[in-house]
Amino acid sequence: MITTIIVALITAVVGPVAVTWVKAKLERKKNKNPMAEALEASGLIDQQLDDIMKELNCDRVWVAQFHNGGHFYPTGKSIQKFSMFYEKCSPSLPPIQTTFQNIPVSLFNKSLSQIHEKGEIEILNVEVEENTFGVDVLTSQFKTKSLCMVGLYDLKDHLIGVMGISFIEEHNVLTSEWIYIRQKVGVIGTLLSEYLSSTNK
């Protein structure tokens, strides 16, 4: 209990500092060209994912972002899709990033609806839990036993993506780990939000 409180207090201080650091880092990009901005933003996000891999000792961490992907006929309404833009995985696992490109949100309606409403999903053991929120393709096919998925939000609190963390062995995410994950989600969401908003200026 005391450890959890201490971690929470540290995170309360470190979290805002990290977000401020990210904003200051991105503020210096204003005069850079689009390629330089993209590479710097990607580098900062990669660093966050490396930190998560080391801290949680997980087997895979990835970030997917929502985007438009064509239009419905005949109304012209945009088709909502997502793609996996960032991924880190242990050497023993094959990457899955190329598998999840331009995926209609309708194919993962259960999991994305849960994240949209609750902010996150945790599946302790996909082999025994009845409700896996329709993410079986992320588990059985890719040696995943435990999985958590957390929504990524922009500075206006709009859901812009999802971060997934998975383990090949059963793993119960501890309270202190959830605090850490939510802090990292805030930093990555800020990075994505600042980068996306800078590309629209």
Side-chain angles (χ1 to χ4, degrees), residues 48 51-52 163 179-189:
Q48 296 299 315
D51 292 345
I52 292 170
M163 183 175 77
I179 292 171
Y180 176 81
I181 290 169
R182 289 167 184 146
Q183 175 205 325
K184 287 299 186 182
V185 161
V187 173
I188 293 172

Side-chain angles (χ1 to χ4, degrees), residues 93-151:
L93 296 180
I96 63 174
Q97 182 177 359
T98 55
T99 303
F100 294 93
Q101 298 296 315
N102 294 306
I103 307 298
V105 297
S106 57
L107 293 180
F108 288 88
N109 184 66
K110 287 184 180 179
S111 55
L112 294 178
S113 293
Q114 178 73 6
I115 291 171
H116 188 263
E117 293 175 14
K118 305 293 185 180
E120 55 200 35
I121 287 173
E122 181 182 10
I123 303 171
L124 177 60
N125 189 330
V126 297
E127 296 176 358
V128 298
E129 289 194 32
E130 293 183 7
N131 187 7
T132 58
F133 301 99
V135 296
D136 305 70
V137 68
L138 286 171
T139 56
S140 59
Q141 190 177 347
F142 299 108
K143 300 180 180 180
T144 298
K145 183 165 283 188
S146 295
L147 171 72
C148 63
M149 296 168 63
V150 189

Side-chain angles (χ1 to χ4, degrees), residues 157-171:
D157 207 31
H158 296 145
L159 183 65
I160 58 173
V162 176
M163 183 175 77
I165 300 170
S166 61
F167 304 82
I168 60 175
E169 299 294 338
E170 184 173 311
H171 181 87

Side-chain angles (χ1 to χ4, degrees), residues 34-48:
M35 179 60 74
E37 288 186 4
L39 291 172
E40 184 168 356
S42 295
L44 292 172
I45 293 170
D46 272 350
Q47 183 59 58
Q48 296 299 315

Side-chain angles (χ1 to χ4, degrees), residues 75-86:
T75 63
K77 186 176 180 65
S78 295
I79 301 173
Q80 299 304 301
K81 296 185 177 182
F82 70 88
S83 294
M84 194 176 289
F85 281 82
Y86 304 91

Side-chain angles (χ1 to χ4, degrees), residues 22 26 29 38 41-42 44-46 48-49 62-66 83 85-86 150-155 158-163 184-200:
V22 166
L26 290 170
K29 299 189 307 175
S42 295
L44 292 172
I45 293 170
D46 272 350
Q48 296 299 315
L49 300 187
W62 49 265
V63 169
Q65 292 175 250
F66 299 115
S83 294
F85 281 82
Y86 304 91
V150 189
L152 295 166
Y153 298 86
D154 65 11
L155 299 178
H158 296 145
L159 183 65
I160 58 173
V162 176
M163 183 175 77
K184 287 299 186 182
V185 161
V187 173
I188 293 172
T190 300
L191 280 167
L192 290 174
S193 180
E194 290 287 344
Y195 171 66
L196 293 174
S197 62
S198 71
T199 60
N200 291 328

